[in-house]
C-alpha cells in the first residue's frame, strides 16, 4: 500500500488511540485497551478493529514478529497536530490565523501562565520577522 505524505485525518476514537501510543510508545491492543478503558468504555474488539482500520489508513504501523502485535504511531504527535490545525484553519476559518486564534482564546478561560507563554511566542515570531 503506497503511503501518502499527508496524514489521514484521524477520527475522535482514533485520536484517543494515538494519544496512548504517543504517551506509551509501541503497545499491544491489550495495553491500549487498558488505558482507554480507564477513560471511557471501549471494548477490546473495538480497539482491535480501530487499530486495523488505522493500519490500513497509514496512521499506525504493526510489528507482527511477536504473538501479540505491537502498534506504533506512524507520525509524531507534533506533526499530526500541525496537520490537524492546518486542516481546521483552512476548513473552519477560511485560512484566517487571526480568526482561529481569537476563537481559541475566547472559547475557554486562559491561565495567566498560558497567556504569558503565548505573549513570549508572539514576541519571538515578531523578532524573527524583523
Amino acid at each position: 500500500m503506497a503511503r501518502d505524505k499527508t496524514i489521514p485525518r484521524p477520527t475522535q476514537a482514533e485520536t484517543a488511540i494515538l494519544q496512548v501510543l504517543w504517551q506509551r510508545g509501541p503497545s499491544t491492543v491489550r495495553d491500549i485497551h487498558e488505558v482507554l478503558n480507564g477513560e471511557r468504555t471501549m471494548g477490546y474488539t473495538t480497539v482491535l478493529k480501530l487499530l486495523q482500520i488505522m493500519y490500513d489508513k497509514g496512521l499506525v504501523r504493526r510489528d507482527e514478529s511477536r504473538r501479540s502485535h505491537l502498534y506504533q504511531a506512524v507520525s509524531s504527535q507534533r506533526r499530526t497536530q500541525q496537520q490537524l490545525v492546518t486542516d481546521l484553519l483552512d476548513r473552519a476559518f477560511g485560512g484566517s490565523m487571526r480568526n482561529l486564534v481569537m476563537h481559541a482564546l475566547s472559547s475557554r478561560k486562559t491561565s495567566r501562565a498560558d497567556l504569558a507563554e503565548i505573549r513570549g511566542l508572539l514576541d519571538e515570531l515578531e523578532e524573527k520577522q524583523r
Side-chain angles (χ1 to χ4, degrees):
M1 171 186 204
R3 304 271 190 222
D4 191 353
K5 288 187 179 192
T6 60
I7 305 160
R9 195 173 343 147
T11 65
Q12 187 172 355
E14 291 169 346
T15 302
I17 290 172
L18 287 171
Q19 290 286 345
V20 173
L21 292 172
W22 289 324
Q23 290 170 4
R24 294 179 51 104
S27 302
T28 65
V29 177
R30 183 169 311 287
D31 295 335
I32 297 165
H33 176 255
E34 286 175 4
V35 171
L36 291 177
N37 227 16
E39 301 168 6
R40 62 174 76 178
T41 304
M42 188 182 292
Y44 178 89
T45 56
T46 301
V47 174
L48 175 60
K49 183 63 177 171
L50 284 168
L51 282 163
Q52 291 169 340
I53 291 167
M54 292 170 72
Y55 176 77
D56 289 340
K57 288 170 74 172
L59 291 169
V60 296
R61 63 179 58 97
R62 180 173 56 209
D63 177 357
E64 300 175 6
S65 64
R66 302 177 180 190
R67 185 165 188 259
S68 294
H69 298 170
L70 284 176
Y71 289 86
Q72 181 177 0
V74 168
S75 294
S76 69
Q77 183 174 12
R78 181 177 170 87
R79 180 164 180 238
T80 302
Q81 287 172 337
Q82 285 176 331
Q83 187 165 350
L84 289 172
V85 168
T86 299
D87 184 54
L88 177 66
L89 177 67
D90 291 341
R91 292 181 335 124
F93 296 96
S96 170
M97 183 69 70
R98 178 192 173 280
N99 288 342
L100 171 68
V101 171
M102 296 300 286
H103 184 78
L105 289 174
S106 64
S107 67
R108 292 192 179 158
K109 185 165 174 57
T110 308
S111 72
R112 288 182 186 267
D114 284 347
L115 288 173
E117 192 172 340
I118 291 166
R119 278 189 193 98
L121 177 61
L122 290 172
D123 290 344
E124 283 179 36
L125 291 172
E126 277 186 341
E127 191 62 37
K128 285 180 183 177
Q129 289 183 356
R130 289 184 186 164

